Structures are given as structure tokens and as C-alpha cells.
Amino acid sequence: MRRIVAGVHGLLAALHVYWATGTTWPAGDERSLSLAVLGGPVSFRPAVVLPLALLHLVLAAAILTSERWKVSRLVVAGLAAGLAARATAGLVWITGAGDMSTAFYWLNLLLYTPLCIALCMADLKMLQARWLKATVVVVPVTLVTMVALVAYVYEPEEQPHPAASADSRYVDTPLARIHYLQRGTGSPVVLLSPGARQQVGAACAVGSGRAGRLELGDSQATAHRRSPGQARHEPRHG
């Protein structure tokens, strides 16, 4: 049993070394590989996958020596706890939290979760203390279940929006609704970044890398080009 479990970790270590070479088999590219293996976009560069390969080798060595060394049995206990947590998370994804249209969902259903359960059970057989066996299963399963309940079941109450202040104003444009605060009197001055475009009612463009002044009226908006020096000396009231 120990040799079989250690062999699985050795195979996983070899697979990570293989990915470190830049090859993305069985996927066509790194993004597809990450989505299939982890369910999200994660880098598979050597700095990421080689430490994982080393970890699997350490786990394989701990499994092979767990019968003789207490430290190895503690490592196996930690491994069993991690596998129990991963198996529980996999069951959560299977029972409704996962997207059935993705490759990760089916790989998790048919391969990842069953493999984690099988390896966890094999690791538990290598442990001698009953309390340790119970702890490495109950604690991670309970924690993952509680996190899943909070993440996927609990719905916090909707918080009311704070009341707008007396000087709050809004400008509706074809692109967005702009919020600003009116302070003082006079026409507002808006400084646009180089190349920016602003639309208020009618389309107004300020280009050529110059700052612009935007005057807002009741039914139209006009934009005036001016040099940065002129914009710097423009009195601002708003």
C-alpha cells in the first residue's frame, strides 16, 4: 500500500516537472491547462510547479518511511488532512457550486475528488493513533463545510444606500453617470487627461494632448481647447 501511494506522488512530481519545461499537455495552452487542473487562471511557470514537484517527492519519502519514523507519520497526517479538505471542497463543487459546462467540473467529479478520497483513506491506514485519524478528518471537513455554507448559502441583508449630500450633483452621459460635488458658484471646470474624450449631451472631444475646459449648460455642453499654461491660470470655482 505504501509503495502504491508513494508511486502516485512520484507520478505527480514527474508531471509537475514535465509542465515546468513549458509543455501544457494534455491541454493546448497554459490557460486551458490551468482551468482544467485548478478551475482558474494560474501560472504554470517553473517557479510555481517545481516547488510542488519537490513537495510531492517529500510526501512520497514520508509515506515510505512512515512505519519507522514518527516525523514521517506526522507528515502523512498533515497530508491526510489536506486531502480530506480537498475532497470536501470537491464534493461542494459537485453538489451545485461548480459550473457543469467546464472541463474542471467533470475532471473534479470523475478524477480529482475520487482520487483525493482514495489517497486520504490510504494515508489514514498508515496512522496508528485513533485520535489522530479522527482529527485529520473531522477538523478539515468541518472547516471547509462551514466556509462553503458562508460562501454559497448565507446571503447578507442588503445595505441601504446612504442619502446623497446637499451638494451632490449628477451628469448623465451616453457612457456613464458622473457624480460631482458643487462647491461655490460659477461654471465648473473639468481638466481632461491627454487624449481623453468626454460626452455630455452632444459629443465633445478634447484631443491633441491638451487640457480642456468643459462648460455644462442646461441642454448642451461645449469644450474649449487651451494650452496647459492657460488651463493652469484658469480660476476655478467648482
Side-chain angles (χ1 to χ4, degrees):
M1 176 65 71
R2 284 183 172 83
R3 291 183 178 181
I4 295 176
V5 177
V8 172
H9 287 283
L11 180 61
L12 292 174
L15 186 59
H16 282 77
V17 172
Y18 178 71
W19 286 334
T21 63
T23 306
T24 58
W25 182 89
D29 53 68
E30 182 177 296
R31 176 178 172 80
S32 299
L33 177 64
S34 177
L35 292 176
V37 174
L38 300 173
V42 179
S43 174
F44 273 65
R45 64 182 187 273
V48 175
V49 294
L50 287 180
L52 294 176
L54 179 60
L55 175 61
H56 280 292
L57 292 177
V58 171
L59 294 175
I63 291 170
L64 292 175
T65 59
S66 60
E67 190 175 10
R68 300 189 302 270
W69 296 347
K70 182 178 180 179
V71 174
S72 297
R73 288 194 293 272
L74 292 177
V75 173
V76 173
L79 173 60
L83 290 170
R86 173 58 182 84
T88 305
L91 292 175
V92 171
W93 294 327
I94 291 171
T95 54
D99 185 357
M100 296 181 62
S101 64
T102 62
F104 175 78
Y105 177 89
W106 295 103
L107 287 171
N108 174 67
L109 172 64
L110 301 175
L111 178 60
Y112 302 153
T113 299
L115 180 61
C116 288
I117 294 174
L119 290 176
C120 181
M121 294 178 63
D123 292 339
L124 290 175
K125 292 182 179 180
M126 303 178 198
L127 302 178
Q128 299 176 357
R130 291 184 178 181
W131 68 268
L132 185 58
K133 292 182 180 182
T135 301
V136 299
V137 173
V138 173
V139 172
V141 169
T142 301
L143 291 177
V144 173
T145 302
M146 292 176 61
V147 171
L149 289 175
V150 173
Y152 298 108
V153 177
Y154 172 71
E155 295 183 1
E157 297 181 358
E158 182 178 358
Q159 299 297 321
H161 293 286
S165 60
D167 53 0
S168 288
R169 299 292 185 273
Y170 295 91
V171 175
D172 291 316
T173 76
L175 298 179
R177 192 181 195 198
I178 302 173
H179 172 261
Y180 67 96
L181 299 177
Q182 181 178 352
R183 302 287 172 82
T185 59
S187 300
V189 176
V190 180
L191 298 180
L192 302 178
S193 61
R197 298 176 65 88
Q198 179 69 41
Q199 295 183 0
V200 181
C204 301
V206 179
S208 304
R210 298 178 180 272
R213 176 186 175 190
L214 191 63
E215 296 180 352
L216 305 180
D218 293 335
S219 60
Q220 65 179 358
T222 58
H224 303 280
R225 291 185 181 178
R226 58 184 61 240
S227 66
Q230 291 175 317
R232 190 181 305 114
H233 293 88
E234 177 70 20
R236 300 180 63 181
H237 304 285

